[in-house]
Amino acid sequence: MKLTLEELNKTIMEMRTKGFLTEALKLADQGLLVALESENYAYVLDLYYQKILVHHSLGDTLSMVSLMHDYEAICQKYGSSKDLMHYHLIMSLIYDLVGIREKTVEMTKKSIDYAQELQDSIMLVRCHNNLCYLEVEKGCTKEALQAGLLARTYNQSLSKTMPDLAKLHDIRINNNLADVYILEGDFKTGKALLDSTLSSDIIHQHKREKVAVLFGYGFLYEKQQKLEEAVPYYKKAVELAKSYGDKPTTKKVMRLLLDVLYQLNWRDEIFDVQREYIDLTEKMSVANLLQQVMNLEFKRQKEKLEKKAHYDPLTGVLNRHFLDHELHEWLNIAEMTQSYVCITVLDIDHFKLFNDMHGHLFGDMALQLLAKGLKNFLHKEDVKIIRYGGDEFILCIKHQQKDYIKTLVNNTHAYLLTLKLEQEHQSYPLKVSMGACVNDQQNYQYKELFERADSCLYEAKDKGRASYVLCELS
């Protein structure tokens, strides 16, 4: 029996949770082909996310970076808030692997913002635990402890619905909190957390996490100046990381092992480990990896500048640049493919009262809520959303079926009427009027379509507002 994309996505996550990474990767590849072929971009993005996380667990940073170009492009075009949350998490992992700490923290905090907005328990656990790790790396034990304990609190809630995943998160949280307590000099608590992790019945299925606990023991004994006891744990961590090809982690632990060997003055072992460390550094081509990440960052900055020119800064939707410079080509493509097009004009009823009664900042919040609602509801559709000016927005809709467009206009208006602005314990429903004009597969002149849609908008206002009117060219 063939799995649906939803079942496939769930199965891959379960495989990752149980440590079946190679199998999960193969299944993700198969699912991605099906999702791309059927243009199901919601699952395309989910499967890209799963695939990149598997490569992270395998320590394959180059594969992570190589997938990011396509993943980012699809995410920008079709992504929801959930996908942007995932995207920022992955970028935080990549920046961490190449040692760009400032960007790692920035991306992690953006992920947390999205996770809090969406109340995504899994991501709240993961992101706060990542933040704990980052604060440990900076030596900020107070902030690390706060983030780690917060991750643990969220994980306790998660354990009620997803016990297997919560058990894996427990291991990761304990590993990071152990480092915090060790840095604070509370070796007893640190060791108790590491002992708890090592005795877990799932630790042997998760090599990356087992490397972390072995590293933790090495770190524990090093901080207690029990250097000879630290060496075997660092060595075991190195060998295990090497066994599944995790070069960044292998290199990190080898560097710490070398520090301990130098303190012990074990010359023979220093020579062997140092030679292996140099060989590994050369094989990793760190400069090449860093260059790829920086190219990715350059691309993002370039797109940011382009977005400033083409997008409205307040609402994040397209500005009039699209109508002036790109709409003509958009309509030409629609005509060549014999698609129906619909121009829709909409605005907020009595918007001036929002500003007069509550201030311009409140009005801005209303515009942002409307734009966000349009983006979330229409993100899977072939629609351009433009802020025309003030509280007026234009939708340029394209589809092969006229009835589909008519239904979409109806459903979009119904959805917008559910939006509410919350402030100071009061709720303010958005009232939106819309006018729409669908063409006849012959007339693709924007001016006529817009004028008819604008007339429909005024007709909707005359009908009592909070309604829509749609007309068809014939």
Side-chain angles (χ1 to χ4, degrees), residues 45-174:
L45 287 163
D46 280 348
L47 290 164
Y48 259 116
Y49 173 66
Q50 298 263 29
K51 190 174 176 181
I52 293 169
L53 286 182
V54 172
H55 283 302
H56 179 256
S57 294
L58 292 169
D60 189 353
T61 313
L62 283 172
S63 292
M64 289 177 70
V65 175
S66 67
L67 288 168
M68 282 304 297
H69 296 283
D70 289 339
Y71 177 63
E72 184 176 41
I74 297 169
C75 195
Q76 286 183 349
K77 189 169 184 180
Y78 301 104
S80 62
S81 294
K82 180 196 77 172
D83 299 307
L84 292 171
M85 171 180 68
H86 289 164
Y87 166 78
H88 284 104
L89 170 69
I90 289 170
M91 285 305 300
S92 75
L93 299 176
I94 290 174
Y95 283 127
D96 175 54
L97 288 166
V98 295
I100 306 176
R101 286 283 174 266
E102 187 178 332
K103 298 297 291 185
T104 306
V105 173
E106 177 190 333
M107 293 292 157
T108 303
K109 288 183 176 178
K110 283 184 178 179
S111 294
I112 290 173
D113 289 341
Y114 279 112
Q116 288 173 335
E117 178 188 334
L118 297 170
Q119 284 300 291
D120 189 313
S121 299
I122 296 173
M123 288 293 287
L124 285 168
V125 175
R126 177 154 197 165
C127 291
H128 280 99
N129 192 42
N130 286 0
L131 192 60
C132 173
Y133 156 76
L134 292 169
E135 296 294 356
V136 167
E137 291 286 297
K138 288 160 56 180
C140 302
T141 53
K142 182 181 176 182
E143 292 81 358
L145 183 61
Q146 183 180 8
L149 293 177
L150 197 52
R152 179 179 280 171
T153 300
Y154 285 122
N155 202 44
Q156 287 169 350
S157 299
L158 185 65
S159 65
K160 298 170 186 174
T161 54
M162 304 182 75
D164 289 341
L165 182 59
K167 190 181 287 189
L168 177 58
H169 280 317
D170 264 334
I171 289 174
R172 293 170 175 167
I173 293 166
N174 284 348

Side-chain angles (χ1 to χ4, degrees), residues 299-318:
K299 178 174 174 285
R300 290 179 67 246
Q301 293 301 327
K302 179 173 176 286
E303 286 169 353
K304 273 186 181 178
L305 291 173
E306 290 174 350
K307 189 170 182 178
K308 281 185 179 179
H310 298 172
Y311 286 77
D312 175 54
L314 177 65
T315 61
V317 300
L318 292 163

Side-chain angles (χ1 to χ4, degrees), residues 221-398:
Y221 290 120
E222 182 184 353
K223 286 298 178 182
Q224 295 180 88
Q225 290 300 305
K226 299 177 181 179
L227 301 181
E228 292 188 16
E229 292 179 61
V231 171
Y233 283 105
Y234 281 147
K235 283 184 175 180
K236 286 177 185 177
V238 167
E239 290 307 311
L240 186 55
K242 283 162 61 178
S243 73
Y244 64 93
D246 189 343
K247 293 184 177 68
T249 302
T250 302
K251 184 183 174 188
K252 175 183 176 180
V253 183
M254 284 179 78
R255 188 170 64 247
L256 293 170
L257 174 58
L258 276 171
D259 288 343
V260 172
L261 293 175
Y262 273 115
Q263 291 180 65
L264 290 167
N265 199 26
W266 290 3
R267 295 186 178 276
D268 291 340
E269 293 207 31
I270 289 171
F271 177 77
D272 292 336
V273 175
Q274 195 163 43
R275 183 178 58 188
E276 192 175 355
Y277 180 80
I278 292 168
D279 288 343
L280 178 62
T281 302
E282 290 175 353
K283 287 176 183 176
M284 283 179 66
S285 303
V286 174
N288 182 45
L289 175 60
L290 185 58
Q291 185 60 51
Q292 287 194 49
V293 175
M294 295 312 294
N295 287 343
L296 196 62
E297 176 64 15
F298 174 76
K299 178 174 174 285
R300 290 179 67 246
Q301 293 301 327
K302 179 173 176 286
E303 286 169 353
K304 273 186 181 178
L305 291 173
E306 290 174 350
K307 189 170 182 178
K308 281 185 179 179
H310 298 172
Y311 286 77
D312 175 54
L314 177 65
T315 61
V317 300
L318 292 163
N319 59 25
R320 293 182 64 149
H321 180 277
F322 176 81
L323 299 175
D324 297 337
H325 301 284
E326 298 177 42
L327 179 62
H328 182 69
E329 183 182 352
W330 186 86
L331 289 167
N332 282 343
I333 293 170
E335 186 171 9
M336 284 189 291
T337 57
Q338 279 296 283
S339 300
Y340 287 97
V341 297
C342 174
I343 301 300
T344 302
V345 186
L346 60 123
D347 66 17
I348 299 174
D349 294 331
H350 304 299
F351 179 68
K352 189 173 184 298
L353 287 177
F354 272 98
N355 285 330
D356 292 346
M357 292 177 63
H358 304 288
H360 288 284
L361 286 178
F362 189 84
D364 286 349
M365 289 165 62
L367 294 173
Q368 289 168 336
L369 178 63
L370 176 58
K372 183 179 178 182
L374 288 168
K375 286 188 287 185
N376 286 344
F377 190 76
L378 297 170
H379 78 275
K380 294 181 181 178
E381 308 294 343
D382 193 348
V383 177
K384 300 295 183 183
I385 305 169
I386 303 106
R387 184 182 178 197
Y388 190 59
D391 65 320
E392 198 165 54
F393 291 76
I394 293 174
L395 307 178
C396 299
I397 306 169
K398 182 166 58 177

